[in-house]
Amino acid sequence: MSPANQKPSPNPELNLLLFSIPQSLLLNIGTASILLLLTAGQVSVKALESLGQASEELFRGDRLPILDFPEDNELKNS
């Protein structure tokens, strides 16, 4: 039978050996996984931004300890 004469099935499915999966279920699973990935991406971006801001605050110059450097004449005398 040629493809032009075939009628589309009313419920398209993925036919496996022992069972079949409807295309609507595959579409729902695919959509949910994409939305979950987008949400996880946004959350991870926000977490990395907060981590970057926290590290900037940690290493700001006014909060670092003042180091006691030896003078030039102390180095020459030693």
Side-chain angles (χ1 to χ4, degrees), residues 5-27:
N5 294 339
Q6 291 179 351
K7 293 181 181 178
S9 63
N11 293 328
E13 299 175 335
L14 175 64
N15 293 321
L16 300 174
L17 292 176
L18 300 175
F19 57 92
S20 61
I21 301 173
Q23 278 187 351
S24 61
L25 178 64
L26 294 173
L27 182 64

Side-chain angles (χ1 to χ4, degrees), residues 29-59:
I29 291 171
T31 303
S33 65
I34 294 295
L35 289 176
L36 185 63
L37 282 173
L38 287 173
T39 305
Q42 289 177 348
V43 168
S44 63
V45 164
K46 287 181 183 178
L48 288 173
E49 284 177 353
S50 343
L51 184 65
Q53 288 175 356
S55 68
E56 283 180 18
E57 287 296 319
L58 182 65
F59 293 113

